[in-house]
Amino acid sequence: RWTGAFYRHGRFTSVEGMDLHDMWVRRTSTYSFAHSDSHAGISVRNVTWRLDPSIVGDDLAGTVTGYIGRAPGASLTDATSDARNIRLVSAEGGGSNARHGQPLGIVPDRSMISSLNESFYIFADRQSHWNRCVKLAVMRREDGMSYVQVNSAFRYHNSSWLRGDDAFDAAIAHEMWIKRHEDTYPVALSVDQGGYGIHSLQWEVNASTASAFDRTDTSQSGSVLGNVGTSPGSFVAFTTDVRKILLVSGSTVGRHYKHVTGCGEIVPDPAMPSATATEASWLF
C-alpha cells in the first residue's frame, strides 16, 4: 500500500549510491497521493515482486535496514544457539534528535553480563561535544530465533573532546554510561520521531555451523497490475512472513510524473521501523 511520497533534488540514474535516509531527512517537499494520471500527486503502478523463501532464517550475516524498536525487536537468525555468537558490526543513528551525528561504532556493553540467551551492546555517535548513545540487546528466544532490540538511550557530554578525536571502545562506552547526562532519553522508531534511534544495523554470526530452518513458502513472482492504493492496499501473495516478499520495480502515477521512465527501482525504506513478520516498508 502507498504510505507517502517526497522529493529531493539530485542527479541519479539508479538507486545505487543514494543515501535514502538522508534524502528523507533533507527532503525538499512531500507529495499527495495520486489515484490516477489526472491527479497532481504521485504514486506507483505495475509493481513487480517475488517471494524468496530463504529470507529470514539461518543467515550468518545481514542488515536490519529500518529502525529497531524495543522488545520483541527485529529478528536476525536461528543459526546459533548462543546469543554471544552474534556480533553487531555497525549501525547508523537516527531520530529527530540524532539525524546528523558522526557514528563511532557498536561495542559490547560492560555494564551488563552477557549469557547464552542474551548479549548486550552500546552504540554511540558524536555531534560536537555530545555523544548520543543507544543500548541494545541480542536475545535468543523460545522459538530458536535471535532478535535484536533497543533497551534505552542516553547522552554524554564530553567536555574534553578535541576535533579529530573519535576513539571509541568498550571502556569508553562504559565511562559514557557511568557519567551519562540523562538516562531516560526517548527511543526513536522512525526518522522523524523524537529521541535517539538505530537503523541500518549490520550483524554477523561468528559460529562455524548453522542449523536448518525449514520454511513452507514456495518461490514465486508476479505483478500488481494497476495503481497501488492506500490501506488496505493490493493483494500480493500468501506467505508466513512478509519479509520474504521483495518489491522489485514499479512505474510512476500522477499528472506530472506519468511519463517518467528513469529508475523505477524499489528498495527497503531506512527511514521507517525495521521490518517484522507482519509489516515491511519500502521506498520507490
Side-chain angles (χ1 to χ4, degrees):
R1 64 186 177 95
W2 186 97
T3 57
F6 69 97
Y7 81 93
R8 167 72 178 166
H9 290 296
R11 185 179 296 274
F12 297 92
T13 57
S14 73
V15 74
E16 186 175 355
M18 293 182 181
D19 186 337
L20 298 172
H21 188 274
D22 187 66
M23 289 173 66
W24 170 252
V25 170
R26 303 175 188 274
R27 61 192 180 275
T28 305
S29 185
T30 57
Y31 286 112
S32 60
F33 172 67
H35 53 77
S36 70
D37 284 336
S38 63
H39 194 274
I42 187 171
S43 185
V44 59
R45 65 156 61 96
N46 301 330
V47 173
T48 59
W49 59 272
R50 64 184 176 90
L51 192 154
D52 186 347
S54 67
I55 297 177
V56 187
D58 56 1
D59 295 330
L60 296 179
T63 300
V64 180
T65 305
Y67 279 72
I68 298 169
R70 297 181 184 272
S75 60
L76 300 179
T77 183
D78 74 339
T80 178
S81 59
D82 191 330
R84 293 166 295 189
N85 288 339
I86 297 178
R87 186 172 73 93
L88 304 187
V89 179
S90 65
E92 299 285 336
S96 64
N97 298 108
R99 290 175 172 175
H100 307 299
Q102 171 65 41
L104 301 182
I106 298 182
V107 296
D109 183 357
R110 300 306 186 195
S111 69
M112 305 292 291
I113 300 176
S114 296
S115 65
L116 186 71
N117 292 319
E118 55 187 7
S119 61
F120 302 93
Y121 290 84
I122 291 181
F123 165 87
D125 74 0
R126 180 192 57 74
Q127 188 172 44
S128 186
H129 287 270
W130 285 101
N131 292 108
R132 288 84 62 90
C133 306
V134 177
K135 301 188 72 163
L136 304 98
V138 175
M139 312 293 289
R140 187 174 178 275
R141 300 205 171 95
E142 294 180 356
D143 60 0
M145 183 69 71
S146 294
Y147 298 77
V148 61
Q149 66 186 49
V150 171
N151 285 342
S152 62
F154 65 96
R155 56 179 176 163
Y156 167 75
H157 186 256
N158 187 352
S159 59
S160 60
W161 174 77
L162 299 176
R163 187 176 300 276
D165 179 15
D166 286 330
F168 184 64
D169 57 22
I172 294 174
H174 187 68
E175 182 179 9
M176 289 178 176
W177 170 248
I178 296 298
K179 299 179 179 179
R180 62 192 180 275
H181 182 267
E182 186 175 357
D183 63 354
T184 57
Y185 225 78
V187 173
L189 297 179
S190 68
V191 64
D192 291 324
Q193 187 173 3
Y196 304 154
I198 290 286
H199 68 93
S200 303
L201 172 72
Q202 296 185 0
W203 58 273
E204 65 181 16
V205 176
N206 293 327
S208 59
T209 61
S211 59
F213 193 51
D214 185 29
R215 293 292 189 183
T216 60
D217 303 54
T218 58
S219 296
Q220 54 185 294
S221 61
S223 296
V224 178
L225 299 179
N227 298 346
V228 175
T230 56
S231 183
S234 304
F235 173 79
V236 174
F238 291 108
T239 179
T240 57
D241 193 318
V242 299
R243 289 167 295 187
K244 298 177 181 179
I245 297 178
L246 306 178
L247 302 187
V248 180
S249 64
S251 55
T252 52
V253 178
R255 184 170 67 230
H256 301 299
Y257 304 96
K258 59 184 178 182
H259 300 302
V260 174
T261 58
C263 195
E265 298 173 64
I266 303 178
V267 296
D269 188 348
M272 295 297 291
S274 57
T276 65
T278 58
E279 184 171 352
S281 299
W282 296 80
L283 195 62
F284 165 82

